[in-house]
Amino acid sequence: MQEPYLIELQKIGEEEIGYISVAQAASNVPFDIKRVYWIYQTPETVERGNHAHKNTLQLLICVRGKIKITLENRHRKIVEFVLDDPNQGLFIPNYYWRKLNFFDEAICLCLSSSDYSEEDYIREYQEFLS
Ligand code: T46
């Protein structure tokens, strides 16, 4: 079973002109990217996620603001990450139950190893544990 981990992305530029960060399947993303989507304007009172994926691998990047991501595996081991740096990505393997909380008008960029399919989601917590 793979573990989630943070990936330092390339950061090009300087304070005077700003920066470019790069996520590239060939170098720092541990899967082939099939789909990119982004989540924004989520109120701080809302908790997103509450599901796991059967096969999908993901890299989540907080391109603005701050996002707290809580991950749980099927042995009920919980790890928490705070993303607030656009040159950092969080790799999430399959079979991790996730909860996401957005702060400071956060925008979450999600790179995914699969096309969207509702079949790939486990949205019932008890089903996830079994
Ligand atoms: C994840 C976290 C980080 C689509 O039709 N196409 C898509 O590509 C996506 C991602 C979603 N949808 C539909 C499915 C639902 O009817 O958009 C609706 C909201 O999706 P969901 O409730 O899954 O949103 P989040 O923010 O809880 O989860 C999303 C991703 O779905 C999920 O894979 O890991 O972001």
Side-chain angles (χ1 to χ4, degrees):
M1 187 186 242
Q2 282 185 292
E3 300 273 334
Y5 61 89
L6 290 170
I7 294 175
E8 263 337 278
L9 302 169
Q10 213 179 343
K11 183 175 178 179
I12 305 160
E14 52 200 60
E15 207 177 323
E16 289 72 28
I17 60 165
Y19 300 94
I20 293 173
S21 281
V22 186
Q24 202 163 268
S27 51
N28 49 16
V29 180
F31 54 82
D32 287 332
I33 302 159
K34 273 254 174 127
R35 177 170 51 118
V36 178
Y37 56 93
W38 43 101
I39 305 168
Y40 52 97
Q41 293 177 3
T42 294
E44 296 194 1
T45 49
V46 168
E47 183 169 81
R48 300 193 69 109
N50 284 303
H51 60 256
H53 284 282
K54 294 175 191 165
N55 292 306
T56 302
L57 310 174
Q58 290 162 304
L59 187 75
L60 269 48
I61 300 160
C62 178
V63 292
R64 184 171 83 173
K66 182 165 93 176
I67 305 169
K68 186 178 88 172
I69 301 167
T70 309
L71 299 176
E72 181 177 355
N73 69 16
R74 284 190 292 178
H75 306 295
R76 292 196 156 173
K77 183 181 166 202
I78 295 174
V79 275
E80 192 179 289
F81 294 89
V82 175
L83 294 183
D84 60 359
D85 188 341
N87 77 308
Q88 237 180 15
L90 174 64
F91 170 68
I92 308 182
N94 52 341
Y95 284 108
Y96 269 85
W97 190 263
R98 79 276 326 269
K99 294 177 179 181
L100 290 91
N101 297 94
F102 287 62
F103 304 97
D104 305 333
E105 300 180 4
I107 300 177
C108 186
L109 182 66
C110 306
L111 313 184
S112 168
S113 68
S114 67
D115 290 329
Y116 172 73
S117 163
E118 194 54 39
E119 305 279 285
D120 188 60
Y121 285 73
I122 305 170
R123 293 193 185 268
E124 292 297 325
Y125 185 64
Q126 288 310 323
E127 185 191 337
F128 165 70
L129 289 180
S130 63

